[in-house]
Amino acid sequence: MAANNNQEQQNQLVGHKDLAHKSLLQSDALYQYILETSVFPREHESLKELRQMTEKHPRNLMATPADEGQFLRMLLKLINAKNTIEIGVYTGYSLLSTALALPNDGKILALDVNREYYDLGLPIIQKAGVEHKIDFREGPALPLLDELVKDEKNKGSYDFVFVDADKDNYLNYHKRVIELVKVGGLIGYDNTLWGGSVVAPPDAPLKDYIIHFRGFILELNKYLANDSRIEICQLPVGDGITLCRRII
């Protein structure tokens, strides 16, 4: 019996190291409790359908976890967001979460290099009745952001920006979206604890993609902490999310 218990404990640890559910909580059971008690019972049917569809996709680790989607919806309602940008869409769980939280005349400029993934979730988004809020643009985000910044009327016109894309460009995104979000508006950067690797020793047995992008996440975190234009709050939700409130 003791051997079985030890094996179960080892299986739980492997689950966390594998980041299967993208949570930094140290207990699978505790994370499951949160999901089953306060997340899944309130999850919109279309979000549930999109989440379950995405779980079957080979790159499902890219998806926004349900508890983070719930957090984003609450946050957007609290700040009365109406005009937003999302950089990195994948199949659209965070995008749909945002669209459901915005008022009927709200707008999301959604940027991603791969429309194929977005098209997987699009029928579900359409069924939810919120496609009209979404302006999807395929291609690299930086050139489009540069175009937006060139037009003075775009500066300070967005309530919220959510970034969950190529980690090596996070700092480049910040230098642009800080001009687009209004004073008092928010920017959210996903994965800023990067699977806990931000405090991992140099010889830690990390996956190649974790190692590759770790330096960029560390650079971003240091930059945000010293950016006088924003107030920040780093939260251990999902894989870590840093909220930046523009103050000047």
Side-chain angles (χ1 to χ4, degrees), residues 37-82:
T37 303
S38 63
V39 179
F40 291 158
R42 297 296 188 97
E43 186 178 36
H44 191 282
E45 277 302 312
S46 294
L47 284 171
K48 178 180 178 181
E49 183 180 357
L50 183 53
R51 172 173 56 82
Q52 292 177 338
M53 181 273 290
T54 304
E55 285 171 354
K56 299 172 185 176
H57 193 273
R59 305 193 72 178
N60 58 26
L61 194 63
M62 292 167 54
T64 299
D67 55 326
E68 186 173 339
Q70 182 189 60
F71 169 72
L72 290 175
R73 292 194 302 280
M74 176 72 79
L75 183 66
L76 288 161
K77 291 177 181 179
L78 286 172
I79 67 172
N80 294 313
K82 187 174 181 179

Side-chain angles (χ1 to χ4, degrees), residues 144-170:
L144 180 55
L145 293 174
D146 285 336
E147 286 300 313
L148 290 175
V149 170
K150 286 179 183 177
D151 191 337
E152 287 295 323
K153 76 173 187 296
N154 292 321
K155 293 183 177 181
S157 66
Y158 291 90
D159 305 303
F160 181 72
V161 179
F162 183 59
V163 183
D164 184 12
D166 43 331
K167 314 308 172 192
D168 47 342
N169 269 317
Y170 266 30

Side-chain angles (χ1 to χ4, degrees), residues 65-208:
D67 55 326
E68 186 173 339
Q70 182 189 60
F71 169 72
L72 290 175
R73 292 194 302 280
M74 176 72 79
L75 183 66
L76 288 161
K77 291 177 181 179
L78 286 172
I79 67 172
N80 294 313
K82 187 174 181 179
N83 197 27
T84 74
I85 299 175
E86 179 158 335
I87 303 173
V89 173
Y90 186 40
T91 60
Y93 191 90
S94 58
L95 181 63
L96 179 54
S97 296
T98 299
L100 290 168
L102 296 185
N104 192 54
D105 59 345
K107 296 296 179 183
I108 311 162
L109 178 59
L111 313 178
D112 201 292
V113 294
N114 192 323
R115 187 181 179 98
E116 179 183 349
Y117 294 149
Y118 171 65
D119 284 341
L120 291 175
L122 183 55
I124 300 172
I125 291 171
Q126 291 171 332
K127 187 165 63 174
V130 293
E131 184 191 9
H132 66 283
K133 301 180 186 180
I134 299 169
D135 177 10
F136 181 87
R137 309 281 186 90
E138 183 179 23
L142 288 175
L144 180 55
L145 293 174
D146 285 336
E147 286 300 313
L148 290 175
V149 170
K150 286 179 183 177
D151 191 337
E152 287 295 323
K153 76 173 187 296
N154 292 321
K155 293 183 177 181
S157 66
Y158 291 90
D159 305 303
F160 181 72
V161 179
F162 183 59
V163 183
D164 184 12
D166 43 331
K167 314 308 172 192
D168 47 342
N169 269 317
Y170 266 30
L171 192 50
N172 290 324
Y173 293 142
H174 181 72
K175 292 176 180 179
R176 290 156 174 82
V177 300
I178 189 65
E179 295 191 54
L180 297 172
V181 72
K182 70 181 184 181
V183 173
L186 293 177
I187 308 167
Y189 292 99
D190 201 15
N191 306 113
T192 58
L193 294 177
W194 204 226
S197 68
V198 290
V199 294
D203 59 347
L206 302 173
K207 293 184 177 181
D208 289 343

